[in-house]
Amino acid sequence: MSVSQQFGSDNYAGICPEAWDAMQQANIGSLTAYGEDEWTTRAANAFRTLFETDCEVFFAFNGTAANSLALAALCQSYNSVICSSYAHVETDECGAPEFFSNGSKLLVARTDSAKLTAQDVRSLATCRADIHYPKPRAVTITQPTETGELYSLDEIRTLSATCRELGLRLHMDGSRFANACATLGCSPAEMTWQAGVDVLCFGGTKNGMAVGEAILFFDRALADGFDYRCKQAGQLASKMRFLSAPWVGLLESGAWLRNGAHANACAQRLAAAVQTVPGVELMFPVQANGVFLRGPEKLLPGLQDRGWRFYTFIGGGARFMFAWDSDPARVDELAADIATCSAA
């Protein structure tokens, strides 16, 4: 069945060839269960090579579990986590961070920006110090943010320095981490532990895998007991090789970065095409693989009538997300329909 490609989400994409091939190879023969297999070891070592450090690596089924368990590992139930009001952990994880931490509260920076600043962190971390207030313990940032914007390396370093000063740990939600690396042109190490990030959740699902995220602890002491936490949360895959082998395909081949760069290029392609369309504006800078558009009242219904799928949950405009397999010709079709619907 042939279905026209949609850009409502980068989760629409299939499995990229490198991940698919690795899964096929892992499917041969009988291998030890619960992560005691050669593929899981190989994937963990591939992360250590890529990040240039001996980090602890764990694999989970999805981003909600990865983020929530990572934050729970940093906090006691009486602690709190500072985040942006746009953060996925705040708006789209159904209370999972609080659930898995047995109650750690999210302290939300009520600003119009999806990016946290050092002052946001300082204000929330120091506004109270009495025993009635949930003691701040961690900060979480999304890279790229939910609006597709990027923290620069300097911004991450500044946030990290503030965290260190205040005794806080820094977690990075990297569901689209590859897209951020592709845009910034930096190494994974430079954007994480070398900039002061303690824990990273690296997204595989949006980077070309069928399912799966990796949790990297750059301070191994923070990972104490995390294997038990994963098991208790239903995140210990019995056939772990099918979560870990696709990472081998992505990381060892370099496809993780190529996939991110292609998705970003498609976003830039759409952004460039619509910039001259009267009445249409970009809601946020296009820095990764997402484009947020606002236009005439007739634009969104017109696009829907033409069969386009998109979300409007951030700011009321249309969000389009691009993936490793996005077809530039189909991007051009979308751009043409945007122009037509805006002028109709």
Side-chain angles (χ1 to χ4, degrees), residues 55-136:
C55 52
E56 281 279 19
V57 183
F58 300 88
F59 301 99
F61 289 102
N62 57 49
T64 293
N67 287 329
S68 301
L69 292 174
L71 291 173
L74 300 179
C75 297
Q76 297 290 338
S77 60
Y78 52 81
N79 286 136
S80 55
V81 177
I82 295 170
C83 68
S84 162
S85 60
Y86 287 81
H88 203 266
V89 293
E90 161 67 5
T91 63
D92 291 284
E93 290 183 351
C94 197
E98 296 92 335
F99 175 81
F100 283 110
S101 64
N102 290 316
S104 296
K105 183 176 177 58
L106 296 178
L107 296 181
V108 181
R110 299 297 179 186
T111 68
D112 293 329
S113 174
K115 291 164 62 174
L116 282 178
T117 67
Q119 186 55 48
D120 293 332
V121 171
R122 187 178 302 279
S123 295
L124 285 169
T126 62
C127 65
R128 285 176 62 178
D130 59 276
I131 201 168
H132 304 287
Y133 193 67
K135 185 177 178 63

Side-chain angles (χ1 to χ4, degrees), residues 187-206:
S187 72
E190 289 173 316
M191 197 160 64
T192 54
W193 64 272
Q194 290 180 0
V197 173
D198 294 297
V199 186
L200 166 70
C201 293
F202 191 138
T205 307
K206 295 177 175 63

